[in-house]
Amino acid sequence: MSTEQSGGMNDNDRSITGFVMISHAVVHTYELSIPILMVIWLAEFGVGTAILGTAVAVGYGLFGIGALPAGVLVDRFGSRELVLVCLAGMGGSFLLLSIAQGVWSITLALCVWGIAASIYHPAGLSLISTGVEQRGTGFAYHGMAGNFGIAFGPLITAVLLLFFDWRVVTTLLVVPSVIAIAYAITASFDEKAAVRADGGTDTDDPDPDDGSPTSLSGFVADSRALFTFGFTIAILVVMMNGLFYRGTLTFLPDVLSDFLPDVADQLQLFDPDSPMAEEFDPASYLYAGLLMVGMAGQYVGGKLTDRIPTETGLIAIFGSLAVVAVLFVPAAEAGMTSLLLVSAVLGFLLFSLQPMYQATIAEYSPPGDRGLSYGYTYLGTFGIGAAGAAIAGYLLELTTVMGTFVGLAVFPALGAVLAVVLYRYGTRRV
């Protein structure tokens, strides 16, 4: 009886799952620690939100743009080695950040991070699909680990900043990648175990002329076949999510600080003249809490994909996000209780979108091109979506915080409209 039938993960499954879980958590730990550090960079380097937002958008953009070539490299060289390159590159980028002297060196370090991080999702998801026989369980644990990094990365960064200078903190943040690399080197697993268990073979190298996505002609042909009307609209939906996600989260710690009272001073948590009092920023902890609520959003959104048409879920969530974006500043100004409530709702809705659009992509793409379809998905979410950071930065300089949130509300509003179009005119392929 196979592990799929018996319902248990074998040793190979567990080894791969452990590897991708720690790697996925590290990727998102770095990704969401950057907005916390931006609050300090804005003050230390005397740059505006537009300039710093553009610099960060370049790094975040490479995080998505690199997904397509990374997918091709995974097919050529395997996942383990490329994930190791990813982890080493991300650790090295934070070492570069620790010696940054201005916005240009920050941009360079974040470019290194973006290129390295872009390797992970194609490599990690491919490794689960080819090596883990209990794929569903593997994907579930993989997603949970990513959520852990998303929620606790900013929290860990904020806590470290209480005790250390930001340059020391970025150096300490190299440690997670070192731990992940050490685990990968000692872990033993078969990348193709699930393929062989399903009756496939991995003994032959891919033929560069066989029309597969590993050749340029195959990539172009598969891409043309993939982009039906329904899939194109689905990718546009993904882009709207990415633009709002990155635009909202990038400057949120800095924005939240405008609405929060000086809790440390009121409660006399620290000596007013101590370094900890100077570094304590309650906005960073509210931001981390918002991301933790997002874990519940991921769970609920995933459950809903099995119960309602994903297009209906997208319409409801995008529409709700547009309303929350418009109401965010008035609610934040109304008092602490309403600020906490609107922040929790924002985090819940923002992350409930992810399983919904991931399931939608699956429904509008053929199984044989699923890897390529998710390559385009990450290009839209992290690549094009990275422009949201620059857009938010410019809006904050040109208008008020209220104007910025109203401007960003355009993206979920368009997402809801596109989801309606998809519901009415799209043709599913599974």
Side-chain angles (χ1 to χ4, degrees):
M1 180 180 291
S2 69
T3 56
E4 193 72 41
Q5 292 171 316
S6 63
M9 297 185 85
N10 59 34
D11 290 341
N12 194 69
D13 286 0
R14 285 190 289 270
S15 185
I16 290 176
T17 301
F19 173 52
V20 296
M21 284 179 68
I22 190 172
S23 301
H24 196 202
V26 169
V27 169
H28 289 295
T29 293
Y30 288 134
E31 178 201 1
L32 273 301
S33 68
I34 292 169
I36 300 294
L37 294 165
M38 287 177 67
V39 178
I40 298 174
W41 295 336
L42 285 168
E44 175 147 340
F45 295 115
V47 296
T49 55
I51 293 175
L52 187 58
T54 301
V56 172
V58 173
Y60 278 149
L62 290 171
F63 183 26
I65 293 170
L68 281 177
V72 175
L73 290 174
V74 169
D75 289 335
R76 292 290 188 183
F77 302 109
S79 295
R80 183 205 290 262
E81 290 77 9
L82 285 170
V83 173
L84 285 171
V85 171
C86 164
L87 294 168
M90 291 192 299
S93 72
F94 269 65
L95 279 179
L96 286 176
L97 275 179
S98 70
I99 59 173
Q101 299 300 314
V103 68
W104 287 109
S105 47
I106 287 174
T107 304
L108 174 62
L110 292 181
C111 284
V112 174
W113 177 83
I115 293 169
S118 72
I119 298 171
Y120 177 72
H121 285 94
L125 294 174
S126 175
L127 180 57
I128 295 172
S129 67
T130 61
V132 178
E133 293 182 44
Q134 285 285 325
R135 292 186 185 94
T137 303
F139 280 122
Y141 285 128
H142 177 264
M144 290 169 62
N147 287 345
F148 179 87
I150 286 171
F152 289 97
L155 180 61
I156 292 169
T157 305
V159 171
L160 288 174
L161 286 169
L162 287 176
F163 303 97
F164 305 105
D165 178 76
W166 71 269
R167 295 183 185 278
V168 177
V169 172
T170 52
T171 303
L172 290 174
L173 286 174
V174 176
V175 173
S177 67
V178 173
I179 294 173
I181 290 171
Y183 180 89
I185 291 174
T186 58
S188 176
F189 53 77
D190 180 356
E191 292 192 23
K192 301 294 184 180
V195 175
R196 281 191 289 273
D198 290 339
T201 177
D202 65 325
T203 57
D204 298 324
D205 292 331
D207 182 352
D209 299 318
D210 68 355
S212 71
T214 56
S215 68
L216 179 60
S217 61
F219 172 79
V220 172
D222 279 8
S223 295
R224 286 177 177 173
L226 185 62
F227 273 88
T228 61
F229 175 80
F231 184 78
T232 301
I233 298 300
I235 287 294
L236 291 174
V237 167
V238 167
M239 288 168 51
M240 294 305 106
N241 166 77
L243 288 163
F244 184 73
Y245 173 91
R246 195 62 75 198
T248 304
L249 292 184
T250 300
F251 288 98
L252 195 56
D254 189 51
V255 167
L256 289 172
S257 63
D258 294 335
F259 300 111
L260 287 170
D262 192 343
V263 178
D265 185 52
Q266 291 180 0
L267 300 180
Q268 297 182 341
L269 296 176
F270 311 110
D271 185 325
D273 298 323
S274 70
M276 291 184 69
E278 182 179 348
E279 295 296 338
F280 182 77
D281 183 5
S284 297
Y285 298 92
L286 176 55
Y287 179 74
L290 179 153
L291 298 175
M292 290 177 69
V293 172
M295 296 173 70
Q298 286 259 18
Y299 178 81
V300 173
K303 288 293 185 181
L304 285 176
T305 61
D306 294 328
R307 291 169 169 78
I308 63 174
T310 58
E311 300 91 340
T312 302
L314 289 170
I315 294 167
I317 298 171
F318 270 126
S320 299
L321 274 174
V323 173
V324 169
V326 172
L327 297 178
F328 188 89
V329 173
E333 292 175 338
M336 178 65 75
T337 301
S338 57
L339 171 59
L340 294 176
L341 180 61
V342 75
S343 297
V345 173
L346 175 64
F348 182 88
L349 292 173
L350 193 60
F351 285 91
S352 66
L353 268 178
Q354 292 188 8
M356 199 67 68
Y357 75 68
Q358 289 169 350
T360 302
I361 290 295
E363 290 167 356
Y364 284 89
S365 61
D369 286 329
R370 197 59 49 74
L372 183 61
S373 70
Y374 281 114
Y376 280 110
T377 299
Y378 289 115
L379 174 62
T381 299
F382 296 134
I384 296 172
I391 292 169
Y394 279 96
L395 286 173
L396 284 168
E397 288 200 357
L398 295 174
T399 183
T400 61
V401 175
M402 177 68 188
T404 299
F405 272 89
V406 171
L408 291 175
V410 171
F411 297 126
L414 287 174
V417 172
L418 289 166
V420 171
V421 173
L422 189 63
Y423 180 76
R424 296 193 62 181
Y425 303 109
T427 301
R428 296 188 179 196
R429 302 178 73 173
V430 293

